[in-house]
Amino acid sequence: LAFLQQDNPNVKTFGVEIEKGRALKAQQVLDVCIHAPIESCIITNQVFGALWCNPPYDMQLAGIGDKETERKEYTELARATRYLKGHGILVYLIPSYRFADEKIARLLAAYYEDVQIARFDDTEYAEYKQCVFIGRKKLARSKSYNEDIFNMLLNLANEDYVQNEVQTLSALKATGLQWVVP
């Protein structure tokens, strides 16, 4: 993060972390880091140029009168999408099979373009089964559903597809691709 601020002193970094130890570490490298659950924060919509989203991989707690709960991966993706500016960059990290959830795949296919998916390198992937989605948020007036992105995300439920068709983070880095943050 320091390299971003050196190249552009106008970059301000913010974080929200619920776990105290990680929050203390983040406070050392971010301009602002709040030790709290994200649900307790008031954040303006369409305010951030880039978001790194690594949500909890579990279910929301049911409240009194709730008939059903939702997976946190989707809840945090929807929240992040609201907070991200048009043309902003989303980096979204979840287990590969969770991308195949139709709600997650549909949201990503409707709201994002210039998309790349990469899996963790072999050692880390074997342990955590995580993939990274990087995409640029479309402008509000240009949201059209991209069936190719949707179908590719659905394929991430298939472990053979992930292993054989999804590039590793090292391979993605070697391409030299860059995303400009607004």
Side-chain angles (χ1 to χ4, degrees):
L1 295 173
F3 72 92
L4 288 173
Q5 293 160 321
Q6 288 171 358
D7 291 344
N8 184 348
N10 295 322
V11 170
K12 301 293 179 215
T13 55
F14 299 86
V16 177
E17 176 55 56
I18 194 168
E19 198 278 319
K20 186 176 183 176
R22 288 191 303 258
L24 290 171
K25 287 181 183 178
Q27 288 169 351
Q28 295 172 8
V29 296
L30 300 175
D31 293 318
V32 176
C33 182
I34 299 168
H35 172 220
I38 188 80
E39 297 85 358
S40 70
C41 298
I42 298 171
I43 302 172
T44 303
N45 288 340
Q46 299 184 39
V47 70
F48 295 111
L51 286 173
W52 173 274
C53 191
N54 183 10
Y57 309 147
D58 60 10
M59 299 291 288
Q60 292 180 334
L61 295 175
I64 296 172
D66 287 346
K67 297 199 186 326
E68 58 184 67
T69 62
E70 197 165 66
R71 294 281 309 188
K72 288 185 178 180
E73 297 96 330
Y74 176 77
T75 302
E76 296 308 321
L77 173 60
R79 185 188 331 265
T81 298
R82 283 193 317 270
Y83 296 160
L84 195 59
K85 290 179 182 183
H87 290 263
I89 304 302
L90 175 70
V91 179
Y92 181 55
L93 169 67
I94 59 174
S96 57
Y97 69 92
R98 292 296 302 139
F99 283 103
D101 176 278
E102 286 198 22
K103 286 176 74 174
I104 290 172
R106 193 166 307 284
L107 191 151
L108 292 170
Y111 282 82
Y112 293 91
E113 58 192 357
D114 300 331
V115 167
Q116 289 290 317
I117 299 282
R119 66 178 173 83
F120 275 38
D121 292 336
D122 291 337
T123 303
E124 292 85 11
Y125 185 79
E127 187 170 352
Y128 300 109
K129 305 290 187 207
Q130 292 170 315
C131 284
V132 178
F133 172 98
I134 304 170
R136 176 176 309 288
K137 185 178 175 185
K138 297 175 185 177
L139 292 176
R141 64 182 176 275
S142 66
K143 288 185 209 116
S144 60
Y145 172 74
N146 185 318
E147 193 169 338
D148 291 336
I149 292 173
F150 179 76
N151 289 329
M152 184 268 302
L153 292 169
L154 293 182
N155 283 328
L156 295 178
N158 179 326
E159 189 60 31
D160 287 335
Y161 177 86
V162 174
Q163 288 289 332
N164 297 315
E165 302 297 326
V166 178
Q167 66 188 327
T168 64
L169 285 169
S170 294
L172 177 60
K173 182 179 177 185
T175 67
L177 284 172
Q178 295 183 358
W179 288 263
V180 176
V181 176

